[in-house]
Amino acid sequence: MVTEKNLSDDRKFLDELNRKHAQILDDMETKCQKKRNVYLANIEEKAKEKKRRMISKTQSEVQNQVLVKKHDILKQFKSEVMEKLQKESETEEYKTYFNHKFTEALSKFDENDALVIGVNTSDLELVPKQYDTIIDDQLLGGFYVIKGAREKYDYTLNSEVDQIDDYLGCLINSLFDSSEEVCDEA
């Protein structure tokens, strides 16, 4: 009986210890699960942020590549236009255009104005001998007028090509975008 009583007390004590141990394990498991959930949430947030940065960087790189490509196309297109204008400047129609534009431009100045005319070498013969001239072989064609060594009036083909930059840019943009944007030729 004493043995049974000791056994029964020991069993109660052991059961009590087992319950406390089980409670401690449950509490530890709950705490670990909470920490694991917080840790996984942080990892997931970091992964989402990294994904957003990678997407943003990729989009930026793609936009940069598109801009570079558009610039290259514009540069190539402009170069081709300039080559065609260079060939056109050797025709009789161009000489007629030059003379008409020259007469029209000089009608805006007084006879007493000190004018210097800038032209390329091939157009030098189109300028009357009474005017001082400057040779500028960077010009495709046309001329510029310098009045009083200060004011410059540009009638060159180079400036004509530069004026269509916006229109060319719009045409190139319409190749890349399907927004059906209408380019204004004016």
Side-chain angles (χ1 to χ4, degrees), residues 27-181:
D27 290 346
M28 286 177 65
E29 188 176 335
T30 304
K31 286 180 183 177
C32 283
Q33 187 62 37
K34 286 180 182 177
K35 285 183 179 182
R36 186 179 305 125
N37 289 343
V38 169
Y39 177 75
L40 290 176
N42 285 339
I43 294 229
E44 185 178 349
E45 188 60 36
K46 286 179 182 177
K48 285 179 182 178
E49 181 61 31
K50 187 175 182 180
K51 179 182 173 184
R52 280 191 292 266
R53 275 190 257 126
M54 284 177 24
I55 289 172
S56 177
K57 182 179 178 183
T58 303
Q59 286 175 335
S60 177
E61 288 172 357
V62 167
Q63 287 174 343
N64 187 41
Q65 289 173 354
V66 168
L67 285 175
V68 167
K69 192 61 165 173
K70 285 179 181 180
H71 180 303
D72 291 345
I73 291 172
L74 178 63
K75 189 175 175 182
Q76 181 182 359
F77 193 49
K78 195 172 174 180
S79 174
E80 289 177 15
V81 167
M82 291 179 125
E83 284 178 26
K84 294 216 186 275
L85 278 174
Q86 184 67 39
K87 290 178 184 173
E88 185 68 26
S89 71
E90 298 168 0
T91 64
E92 286 301 316
E93 289 84 16
Y94 167 74
K95 290 178 183 177
T96 304
Y97 164 82
F98 183 95
N99 287 329
H100 172 72
K101 201 69 160 166
F102 190 77
T103 305
E104 182 182 309
L106 290 182
S107 68
K108 298 175 185 175
F109 299 102
D110 292 332
E111 290 180 23
N112 299 332
D113 290 335
L115 303 177
V116 177
I117 312 297
V119 293
N120 67 17
T121 308
S122 62
D123 291 340
L124 187 59
E125 65 190 42
L126 300 174
V127 178
K129 302 291 182 206
Q130 68 209 44
Y131 295 103
D132 292 332
T133 57
I134 298 174
I135 304 295
D136 187 348
D137 284 328
Q138 292 180 346
L139 299 179
L140 291 172
F143 59 95
Y144 56 84
V145 179
I146 300 174
K147 176 183 170 185
R150 288 191 190 180
E151 298 176 55
K152 182 177 179 180
Y153 300 89
D154 194 345
Y155 301 96
T156 63
L157 294 180
N158 300 55
S159 65
E160 295 288 330
V161 172
D162 289 341
Q163 287 178 5
I164 63 171
D165 269 355
D166 289 339
Y167 178 67
L168 295 176
C170 180
L171 290 176
I172 290 169
N173 278 336
S174 67
L175 290 174
F176 285 87
D177 299 329
S178 60
S179 64
E180 302 290 331
E181 180 181 342

